[in-house]
Amino acid sequence: MSKPSLVSSNKIFGGEQRVYSHESSEVGCTMKFGVFLPAEALAGTKLPVVIWLSGLTCTEQNFITKAGAQRVAADLKLIIVNPDTSPRGLNIEGEDDSYDFGSGAGFYVDATTDKWKKNYRMYSYVTKEFINLINDNFPTIPNKKSIFGHSMGGHGALILALKNPGMFCSVSAFAPISNPIQCPWGKKCFGGYLGEDQGAWKAYDATELVKSYDGPPLDILVDQGTADNFLSEKQLLPEHLIEACKSNNVPCVLRMQEGYDHSYYFMASFMEDHLKHHAKHLHQ
C-alpha cells in the first residue's frame, strides 16, 4: 500500500485539517482524502475515527470547508476522515458526461459491467483500502470507528454498515438515498455499474439490506429536511427505509427537520447531533 502524501495542512480548533493523496490499487488512480486530527491525536494519543462519505458531484473538499465539523470533533476527541466520491481522470468514455454518473458519482458500489469494473470499486476502496490506509498512518483505535454521510454518501454509509456487521460502532445519514433501486438516481447508476439484473442491485440498497440484517445492534440516525427538493422528487424515499427497519426490528430514528433543504447549510445545522451520536458509541 502506498504511503499518503501531504497536500495541505491548516490549524483549526487546536488540531489540524489535512488533505492527503495516495495511489489507489482498488480504483487505479490518485485519490485525495481529508483528515481532521484533534490536538490529542497530534500529540500521539490514539482516538476513535468517524468516516464521512459525500454525495453526488463532491470531492474531499466539500465536507472540509462547509460542514463545520472540526470544532465539535475537537471537543469530542474524534478523528474525522473523508475520501473522494469516485475515481478521477481515467479517460473512460462517458465518465464526465453527467453529474449523476461517472466522475463524482461512484455510488459506493463495486461495478461489474465491463466498462467500469476495473476502476469503479468505491465499495472495496472504502471498506478495505481506505480504512487500512487510515489505521496504518494515523493514531486511530482500529475497532472504534463509525460512519456517516450525505445523500449518495448517506446511502454509502448505510450499506457499508449493513453489509459489514460489526465493522462500525454506529451509522448516521443526512438525506440518504435510502432505496436506490426505486429512484431515478439509483436506477441510472446501478444500471450502468451493475448491469441489467436488478436482483443484483439489492446488494447495495439499504432498504433491502436492512430487511435481512442479522448483526450486532446498529444505532441508526437519519435527518431529512422537509424542504429538500429531492425528497419531493422521490429520489430519497426515507419512508421506505423506516418501514424496512420496523419489519426487522432494527432501531432507526428519522428526524424530519422543518424547512431545511439538501445543502450543507442543513448538515452544518445538525452536525453536532450526529457527531455526538457517534461519540456516544465510540467512547464506551
Side-chain angles (χ1 to χ4, degrees), residues 181-232:
I181 66 173
Q182 297 291 339
C183 80
W185 278 337
K187 290 176 181 179
K188 179 176 181 176
C189 283
F190 284 9
Y193 296 140
L194 304 175
E196 297 180 359
D197 179 10
Q198 296 189 15
W201 298 3
K202 293 182 179 181
Y204 293 105
D205 185 300
T207 295
E208 295 296 327
L209 289 168
V210 80
K211 293 175 183 177
S212 58
Y213 180 76
D214 186 25
L218 192 59
D219 190 2
I220 304 173
L221 171 64
V222 175
D223 270 326
Q224 173 64 60
T226 62
D228 188 330
N229 59 305
F230 297 117
L231 182 67
S232 60

Side-chain angles (χ1 to χ4, degrees), residues 62 72-73 140 170 236:
N62 299 72
V72 182
T140 65
S170 55
L236 306 176

Side-chain angles (χ1 to χ4, degrees), residues 70-106:
Q70 293 94 341
R71 177 190 61 80
V72 182
D75 290 344
L76 295 174
K77 298 176 174 55
L78 298 172
I79 294 170
I80 304 182
V81 298
N82 59 295
D84 200 350
T85 53
S86 76
R88 302 278 175 177
L90 295 168
N91 297 315
I92 300 172
E93 182 185 3
E95 68 181 356
D96 296 319
D97 286 356
S98 60
Y99 82 94
D100 55 358
F101 186 80
S103 297

Side-chain angles (χ1 to χ4, degrees), residues 66-178:
K66 296 180 180 180
Q70 293 94 341
R71 177 190 61 80
V72 182
D75 290 344
L76 295 174
K77 298 176 174 55
L78 298 172
I79 294 170
I80 304 182
V81 298
N82 59 295
D84 200 350
T85 53
S86 76
R88 302 278 175 177
L90 295 168
N91 297 315
I92 300 172
E93 182 185 3
E95 68 181 356
D96 296 319
D97 286 356
S98 60
Y99 82 94
D100 55 358
F101 186 80
S103 297
F107 239 85
Y108 305 102
V109 304
D110 281 353
T112 56
T113 53
D114 289 343
K115 189 174 181 179
W116 305 98
K117 66 182 181 182
K118 179 181 177 182
N119 303 103
Y120 274 67
R121 298 178 48 79
M122 288 301 294
Y123 174 81
S124 287
Y125 174 74
V126 176
T127 57
K128 299 175 183 177
E129 186 173 16
F130 184 67
I131 287 175
N132 288 334
L133 183 76
I134 297 302
N135 287 334
D136 288 348
N137 290 281
F138 302 97
T140 65
I141 305 172
N143 65 336
K144 290 289 186 178
K145 56 185 176 294
S146 292
I147 192 165
F148 68 150
H150 168 236
S151 195
M152 179 186 72
H155 142 79
L158 290 168
I159 65 164
L160 264 61
L162 291 166
K163 287 171 70 68
N164 297 277
M167 179 177 285
F168 302 102
C169 297
S170 55
V171 60
S172 70
F174 292 89
I177 302 171
S178 298

